[in-house]
Amino acid sequence: MRVDAFDFDLPPERIALRPARPRDAARMLLVQGGAMSDAGVRDLPLLLRAGDCLVFNDTRVIPAQLEGRRGAREEEGAPGAKIGATLHKRIDLRRWQAFVRNAKRLRVGDTVDFGAGVEALAEDRLADGSFILAFGGDEPVELLLERAGTMPLPPYIAGKRPTDADDRSDYQTMFAREDGAVAAPTAALHFTPELLAALEAAGILTETLTLHVGAGTFLPVKADDTDDHVMHAEWGRIDAATAERLNAVRARGGRVIAVGTTSLRLLESAAHDTGEIAPFEGDTAIFITPGYRFKAIDGLMTNFHLPKSTLFMLVSALMGLEVMQAAYAHAIDSGYRFYSYGDASLLLP
């Protein structure tokens, strides 16, 4: 399909720069088939059925945004250039793939000093322009990042205000347990212990999986046609016990509702054509566009996404492009807040 089919006009004032407080006070647009109605996140126990199961991503966002200086070169005789790095995907214990700002001033073999005793070697440059950074020392890289890094807010927020101390908690879900994400699974930001208790009282089940969200989720689609877009890969895991319980939910007539596109993409990556969810561990680069036949999920709770993004393509595949264009037009006209810190939608095809 043409990528511009997924475009829409979004007024800048619709972009949320802070989350709702408390988290579950956010609005939620219910889209069921071709119908839509306004609700709130706290209405979720009333909108789902006993026996349904919400599936959360338990990845934890690490402070993956780094600012530093490249080591001086003899031929320059001056302090090295400023270098910014956003870690994207772990390679091994000490090496990460990173998107680099001011990349033209960085060469393979250069060392970057990120302050607080944290240095990394530019070990390799990949075909997409990103670098492999190898961190020095013996301390776990996670400890180094806690000292030198900041939370990697999406560019549409970071471009409008600086990251601050509140973001350390605001940009982390209550389910965060497994270190490795450089972007939050934002649909789950709306959940609180009180909401989970209400869901449990209503007979709604919960499960977790792990998908380490990469910075590639924010990369624009530069191709003119969806067939020409290369999706970024992310690492995920669904253990055997979780897969078995999810299959049992559907066998009993319950619905599997993914909380966030990250949970959905991993569930669909793990599913057989029969719909059975299998254990999974490894990379997935699944790219879901209209025409895709969903196998593992029966619905999706998600935030509102960027124009022409792979995520707006995904929700259009689930509900239909015309339905989602109408839903987003309603959300814009009705003052819904967009993107990572914004409001939610519940999509039930």
Side-chain angles (χ1 to χ4, degrees):
M1 296 182 69
R2 295 284 303 176
V3 169
D4 54 16
F6 301 93
D7 198 9
F8 55 89
D9 291 324
L10 181 71
E13 62 270 20
R14 291 287 177 265
I15 300 173
L17 301 183
R18 298 285 183 183
R21 300 190 192 280
R23 293 183 180 214
D24 58 7
R27 300 173 70 189
M28 185 168 68
L29 179 62
L30 172 65
V31 185
Q32 194 158 17
M36 67 186 76
S37 58
D38 299 310
V41 169
R42 289 172 180 163
D43 297 321
L44 200 55
L46 303 174
L47 299 175
L48 300 178
R49 303 192 293 250
D52 288 345
C53 184
L54 293 167
V55 185
F56 298 95
N57 185 357
D58 67 3
T59 189
R60 182 176 181 274
V61 183
I62 59 174
Q65 191 77 48
L66 295 162
E67 302 293 336
R69 279 194 179 273
R70 191 204 68 219
R73 297 184 183 133
E74 288 186 11
E75 70 267 24
E76 294 177 349
K82 289 183 179 180
I83 299 293
T86 302
L87 304 190
H88 165 53
K89 188 171 183 288
R90 181 191 291 278
I91 305 300
D92 56 30
L93 286 177
R94 306 217 64 80
R95 297 188 303 155
W96 278 77
Q97 181 183 355
F99 296 114
V100 171
R101 292 186 309 285
N102 207 14
K104 64 180 181 293
R105 305 295 297 275
L106 189 64
R107 301 175 190 161
V108 172
D110 285 338
T111 296
V112 182
D113 183 351
F114 292 114
V118 178
E119 291 188 345
L121 173 70
E123 190 175 88
D124 194 11
R125 183 166 188 159
L126 305 182
D128 63 1
S130 64
F131 280 82
I132 301 297
L133 297 182
F135 287 86
D138 298 321
E139 293 177 278
V141 172
E142 288 78 9
L143 290 181
L144 302 180
L145 296 177
E146 289 294 336
R147 286 209 306 270
T150 58
M151 291 299 272
L153 287 185
Y156 43 77
I157 296 175
K160 296 193 173 189
R161 67 164 179 84
T163 303
D164 58 29
D166 285 346
D167 293 309
R168 285 267 177 160
S169 57
D170 286 347
Y171 200 55
Q172 201 79 266
T173 76
M174 65 172 290
F175 309 96
R177 184 178 62 195
E178 301 289 338
D179 282 333
V182 300
T186 54
L189 292 177
H190 300 295
F191 286 79
T192 62
E194 293 78 14
L195 179 56
L196 278 190
L199 288 163
E200 183 179 5
I204 296 157
L205 308 172
T206 60
E207 292 288 348
T208 59
L209 46 72
T210 304
L211 182 80
H212 291 323
V213 192
T217 191
F218 301 123
L219 292 178
V221 178
K222 296 180 179 178
D224 292 327
D225 193 282
T226 56
D227 285 346
D228 298 324
H229 176 66
V230 178
M231 194 71 174
H232 60 282
E234 296 165 318
W235 182 91
R237 179 180 60 227
I238 301 175
D239 63 39
T242 301
E244 183 177 351
R245 290 192 297 268
L246 289 171
N247 290 326
V249 166
R250 298 183 96 186
R252 294 191 299 264
R255 296 176 296 181
V256 171
I257 311 293
V259 179
T261 56
T262 62
S263 295
L264 183 151
R265 292 177 64 242
L266 187 56
L267 288 166
E268 289 296 316
S269 298
H272 298 306
D273 287 341
T274 60
E276 180 184 2
I277 299 168
F280 183 97
E281 183 167 357
D283 285 351
T284 176
I286 190 171
F287 181 26
I288 295 174
T289 58
Y292 178 86
R293 186 177 69 84
F294 288 85
K295 306 183 290 290
I297 62 100
D298 305 292
L300 170 68
M301 180 178 171
T302 185
N303 287 15
F304 293 95
H305 304 295
L306 287 162
K308 297 198 290 188
S309 65
T310 61
L311 302 182
F312 185 62
M313 294 173 192
L314 184 155
V315 297
S316 298
L318 181 64
M319 302 300 295
L321 178 56
E322 289 186 4
V323 169
M324 291 314 300
Q325 286 171 330
Y328 272 49
H330 172 80
I332 291 167
D333 290 343
S334 303
Y336 279 78
R337 302 161 71 247
F338 272 59
Y339 305 158
S340 295
Y341 278 154
D343 294 317
S345 62
L346 179 61
L347 310 179
L348 300 173

